Amino acid sequence: MSTHTLSVRQILALDRIAAGDPEVVAAAHHLDRPVRWVHVAEAADVGVMLSGGELVLTTGVLLAGDERRQAEYIDSLHRAEAAALVLGLGRAFPSSPECMRRAAERHGLPMVVLHRPFPFAELTEEVQSRLVRRKFAAVSLSEGVRTALTALITSGAPLQALLDEIAAHGGCPVVLTNLAHRVLATAGERPAVDDVLRDWNRIARQPGGVDGEGWIRAELGGRGERWGSVVLCGHRGDGASGRLLADRAAEALVLHHMLTGTCGPSWEEQSARSLLTDLLSGAVPPRSLLPRARAAGLPVNRRTFLPLAVRDSSPPQLTRLLRLLGLPGLVAELADGATATATATATAVLLGLARDQDPDALAAHFADRLRAETGDARAVVAAGPARTTWEDVPEALREALHVADAVAGTPPGLPPVVRNGDVRLRGLVRQLRDDPRVQAFSERELAPILAPDSNGEAECLLPVLRAYFSTGRNKSRTARPPHPHEPPRPLPPP
């Protein structure tokens, strides 16, 4: 039903029509038909005056005493796709005409009789005014939602801002899913969203991806392919306005996807990044994130969680590798979670393994396949400790990111899988590098080297120090003057 129509049932519930003591005598199971307009007609050939969706009001004065004409009258209403017939009983028909009732029941045309005299003009005025108000309200809602979402898109707002706006208009949780019904993003009041996610696996299996009244889904897609769905969860307004909102939301999300899909992270990666970032930050208790992890497709029941981190590999690369290996996991590029001010990034992978799988063997197999797929024989995978308790996952993930940060720029020869015990002093130094006391010590010790001379230039010891580290601390090679055509020796990262 469109946003600017009323159903036959809604019209029968109006106070105005109650004064006529209405009774549904035929096709009571079709009362949800939409009414587009109200038409008062006494002509026997009323069907030629209709265009479909009308509620026809009549006293039947020209039909009395002629059952053939009565049957033809109902047939013409059916052919014109009228919404319903309301017959006022009186001198023409003291009681409900059986011939018309049978014909209406046969065609599935709702037929209502009014047992008390009732001015049709009052009902016409009431219904028409309501239809006009609903039509303008629908136009206003449609334009308001479209304007707000378009403004966000043109300003470069992120996906989450669009979903928040949709949730604000709908007054209900909003869920964005991919084709596998995995939740990519949500919006709305947190307790209500958590209630939805807690039961998402059951909800997603419902026909059409909905779970009762107020659950409205709109497909997302374009250029001949579908990407997923946006779902309004428990919309409390009327179904027509909810459908309009869902359709406008889908239009905006498709446009956002087309504009950002080739120049930024995918929706799946944004979803994983948001979840893993919340897990690392500690701002949300890990147990509160379990419904989100489950809805995002990570198995969490009776699982061993293995955190990995990889440098110089993009999330799409690692996502493809997980699919090749048949492993369920979340993949996202994250900043090193071990320090508050670290700027280094690595692609994190959080796997949910069955309890009978060996995490160490699987990490080694993952690293071997990564080297084979990328063609980089020196690619290493940083691994945190495997954990069987979800609350222990954040610390294990921080450790994997720390190890990935510590091995950056190290000489070749590292094992395919590197753990905390392999980075030793180097790992400790990198963990402490942002400590103010360590920074003060470094500046004090290196002051003679870094202090500028009278010309404002750094002392000559700095190039020597760069050469010393670039040659792997080889004094003989450091002392050898560089060849005129030899490129500058880079200083390796600490």
Side-chain angles (χ1 to χ4, degrees), residues 394-414:
E395 187 56 38
L397 183 56
R398 289 190 195 97
E399 184 172 314
L401 289 169
H402 158 65
V403 174
D405 184 39
V407 300
T410 55
L414 289 171

mmCIF file of all heavy atoms in Angstrom, residues 394-414:
data_model
loop_
_atom_site.group_PDB
_atom_site.id
_atom_site.type_symbol
_atom_site.label_atom_id
_atom_site.label_comp_id
_atom_site.label_asym_id
_atom_site.label_seq_id
_atom_site.Cartn_x
_atom_site.Cartn_y
_atom_site.Cartn_z
ATOM 1 N N PRO A 394 41.131 -9.145 23.383
ATOM 2 C CA PRO A 394 41.750 -7.831 23.163
ATOM 3 C C PRO A 394 43.241 -7.805 23.443
ATOM 4 O O PRO A 394 44.023 -7.278 22.644
ATOM 5 C CB PRO A 394 40.982 -6.913 24.123
ATOM 6 C CG PRO A 394 39.653 -7.565 24.272
ATOM 7 C CD PRO A 394 39.926 -9.032 24.235
ATOM 8 N N GLU A 395 43.681 -8.381 24.557
ATOM 9 C CA GLU A 395 45.104 -8.361 24.896
ATOM 10 C C GLU A 395 45.912 -9.192 23.903
ATOM 11 O O GLU A 395 47.026 -8.818 23.519
ATOM 12 C CB GLU A 395 45.309 -8.898 26.318
ATOM 13 C CG GLU A 395 46.724 -8.757 26.842
ATOM 14 C CD GLU A 395 47.230 -7.322 26.813
ATOM 15 O OE1 GLU A 395 46.435 -6.407 27.098
ATOM 16 O OE2 GLU A 395 48.414 -7.106 26.475
ATOM 17 N N ALA A 396 45.354 -10.326 23.468
ATOM 18 C CA ALA A 396 46.056 -11.150 22.487
ATOM 19 C C ALA A 396 46.181 -10.422 21.151
ATOM 20 O O ALA A 396 47.215 -10.502 20.475
ATOM 21 C CB ALA A 396 45.313 -12.475 22.299
ATOM 22 N N LEU A 397 45.146 -9.679 20.762
ATOM 23 C CA LEU A 397 45.193 -8.924 19.514
ATOM 24 C C LEU A 397 46.202 -7.786 19.617
ATOM 25 O O LEU A 397 46.946 -7.511 18.668
ATOM 26 C CB LEU A 397 43.803 -8.384 19.192
ATOM 27 C CG LEU A 397 43.636 -7.614 17.876
ATOM 28 C CD1 LEU A 397 44.087 -8.456 16.692
ATOM 29 C CD2 LEU A 397 42.188 -7.176 17.701
ATOM 30 N N ARG A 398 46.272 -7.131 20.775
ATOM 31 C CA ARG A 398 47.293 -6.080 20.969
ATOM 32 C C ARG A 398 48.690 -6.661 20.820
ATOM 33 O O ARG A 398 49.580 -6.032 20.254
ATOM 34 C CB ARG A 398 47.127 -5.447 22.355
ATOM 35 C CG ARG A 398 45.905 -4.585 22.518
ATOM 36 C CD ARG A 398 45.930 -3.806 23.824
ATOM 37 N NE ARG A 398 44.612 -3.259 24.121
ATOM 38 C CZ ARG A 398 43.728 -3.817 24.921
ATOM 39 N NH1 ARG A 398 44.038 -4.936 25.558
ATOM 40 N NH2 ARG A 398 42.549 -3.271 25.108
ATOM 41 N N GLU A 399 48.896 -7.851 21.339
ATOM 42 C CA GLU A 399 50.212 -8.469 21.246
ATOM 43 C C GLU A 399 50.580 -8.762 19.791
ATOM 44 O O GLU A 399 51.726 -8.539 19.371
ATOM 45 C CB GLU A 399 50.245 -9.755 22.071
ATOM 46 C CG GLU A 399 51.611 -10.409 22.113
ATOM 47 C CD GLU A 399 51.678 -11.569 23.096
ATOM 48 O OE1 GLU A 399 51.197 -11.418 24.232
ATOM 49 O OE2 GLU A 399 52.225 -12.636 22.708
ATOM 50 N N ALA A 400 49.622 -9.260 18.997
ATOM 51 C CA ALA A 400 49.896 -9.530 17.580
ATOM 52 C C ALA A 400 50.277 -8.247 16.854
ATOM 53 O O ALA A 400 51.233 -8.221 16.058
ATOM 54 C CB ALA A 400 48.678 -10.184 16.929
ATOM 55 N N LEU A 401 49.571 -7.151 17.140
ATOM 56 C CA LEU A 401 49.886 -5.875 16.498
ATOM 57 C C LEU A 401 51.246 -5.351 16.954
ATOM 58 O O LEU A 401 52.002 -4.771 16.167
ATOM 59 C CB LEU A 401 48.792 -4.852 16.816
ATOM 60 C CG LEU A 401 47.441 -5.103 16.133
ATOM 61 C CD1 LEU A 401 46.367 -4.204 16.730
ATOM 62 C CD2 LEU A 401 47.539 -4.884 14.636
ATOM 63 N N HIS A 402 51.568 -5.547 18.227
ATOM 64 C CA HIS A 402 52.872 -5.122 18.735
ATOM 65 C C HIS A 402 54.000 -5.880 18.042
ATOM 66 O O HIS A 402 55.014 -5.292 17.638
ATOM 67 C CB HIS A 402 52.935 -5.350 20.243
ATOM 68 C CG HIS A 402 54.322 -5.443 20.768
ATOM 69 N ND1 HIS A 402 55.211 -4.383 20.728
ATOM 70 C CD2 HIS A 402 54.994 -6.485 21.327
ATOM 71 C CE1 HIS A 402 56.367 -4.768 21.250
ATOM 72 N NE2 HIS A 402 56.257 -6.034 21.619
ATOM 73 N N VAL A 403 53.838 -7.176 17.882
ATOM 74 C CA VAL A 403 54.874 -7.980 17.224
ATOM 75 C C VAL A 403 55.031 -7.535 15.772
ATOM 76 O O VAL A 403 56.147 -7.400 15.266
ATOM 77 C CB VAL A 403 54.523 -9.483 17.309
ATOM 78 C CG1 VAL A 403 55.509 -10.310 16.494
ATOM 79 C CG2 VAL A 403 54.528 -9.948 18.762
ATOM 80 N N ALA A 404 53.907 -7.274 15.089
ATOM 81 C CA ALA A 404 53.987 -6.805 13.701
ATOM 82 C C ALA A 404 54.728 -5.480 13.626
ATOM 83 O O ALA A 404 55.512 -5.240 12.693
ATOM 84 C CB ALA A 404 52.580 -6.660 13.123
ATOM 85 N N ASP A 405 54.528 -4.611 14.594
ATOM 86 C CA ASP A 405 55.227 -3.328 14.628
ATOM 87 C C ASP A 405 56.711 -3.531 14.901
ATOM 88 O O ASP A 405 57.570 -2.866 14.315
ATOM 89 C CB ASP A 405 54.598 -2.452 15.707
ATOM 90 C CG ASP A 405 55.196 -1.057 15.738
ATOM 91 O OD1 ASP A 405 55.474 -0.514 14.657
ATOM 92 O OD2 ASP A 405 55.380 -0.522 16.839
ATOM 93 N N ALA A 406 57.036 -4.472 15.796
ATOM 94 C CA ALA A 406 58.430 -4.683 16.185
ATOM 95 C C ALA A 406 59.274 -5.279 15.073
ATOM 96 O O ALA A 406 60.484 -5.043 15.005
ATOM 97 C CB ALA A 406 58.493 -5.584 17.417
ATOM 98 N N VAL A 407 58.676 -6.057 14.171
ATOM 99 C CA VAL A 407 59.466 -6.701 13.113
ATOM 100 C C VAL A 407 59.586 -5.823 11.875
ATOM 101 O O VAL A 407 60.280 -6.199 10.925
ATOM 102 C CB VAL A 407 58.867 -8.064 12.713
ATOM 103 C CG1 VAL A 407 58.828 -9.016 13.893
ATOM 104 C CG2 VAL A 407 57.466 -7.896 12.132
ATOM 105 N N ALA A 408 58.941 -4.649 11.890
ATOM 106 C CA ALA A 408 59.027 -3.772 10.724
ATOM 107 C C ALA A 408 60.467 -3.330 10.501
ATOM 108 O O ALA A 408 61.132 -2.843 11.409
ATOM 109 C CB ALA A 408 58.131 -2.547 10.922
ATOM 110 N N GLY A 409 60.958 -3.499 9.297
ATOM 111 C CA GLY A 409 62.295 -3.043 8.953
ATOM 112 C C GLY A 409 63.418 -3.919 9.445
ATOM 113 O O GLY A 409 64.591 -3.557 9.322
ATOM 114 N N THR A 410 63.127 -5.090 9.996
ATOM 115 C CA THR A 410 64.192 -5.982 10.465
ATOM 116 C C THR A 410 64.823 -6.707 9.278
ATOM 117 O O THR A 410 64.206 -6.855 8.224
ATOM 118 C CB THR A 410 63.639 -7.011 11.464
ATOM 119 O OG1 THR A 410 62.549 -7.706 10.848
ATOM 120 C CG2 THR A 410 63.141 -6.332 12.724
ATOM 121 N N PRO A 411 66.045 -7.193 9.454
ATOM 122 C CA PRO A 411 66.712 -7.912 8.369
ATOM 123 C C PRO A 411 65.961 -9.180 7.995
ATOM 124 O O PRO A 411 65.175 -9.698 8.785
ATOM 125 C CB PRO A 411 68.098 -8.239 8.951
ATOM 126 C CG PRO A 411 68.265 -7.311 10.093
ATOM 127 C CD PRO A 411 66.910 -7.055 10.638
ATOM 128 N N PRO A 412 66.183 -9.708 6.788
ATOM 129 C CA PRO A 412 65.535 -10.956 6.385
ATOM 130 C C PRO A 412 66.015 -12.116 7.241
ATOM 131 O O PRO A 412 67.009 -12.024 7.954
ATOM 132 C CB PRO A 412 65.944 -11.118 4.924
ATOM 133 C CG PRO A 412 67.192 -10.300 4.774
ATOM 134 C CD PRO A 412 67.045 -9.160 5.729
ATOM 135 N N GLY A 413 65.290 -13.231 7.144
ATOM 136 C CA GLY A 413 65.685 -14.413 7.900
ATOM 137 C C GLY A 413 64.757 -14.729 9.046
ATOM 138 O O GLY A 413 64.993 -15.687 9.790
ATOM 139 N N LEU A 414 63.706 -13.948 9.212
ATOM 140 C CA LEU A 414 62.744 -14.217 10.278
ATOM 141 C C LEU A 414 61.913 -15.448 9.913
ATOM 142 O O LEU A 414 61.690 -15.733 8.733
ATOM 143 C CB LEU A 414 61.818 -13.024 10.479
ATOM 144 C CG LEU A 414 62.427 -11.776 11.108
ATOM 145 C CD1 LEU A 414 61.446 -10.624 11.028
ATOM 146 C CD2 LEU A 414 62.816 -12.040 12.557
#
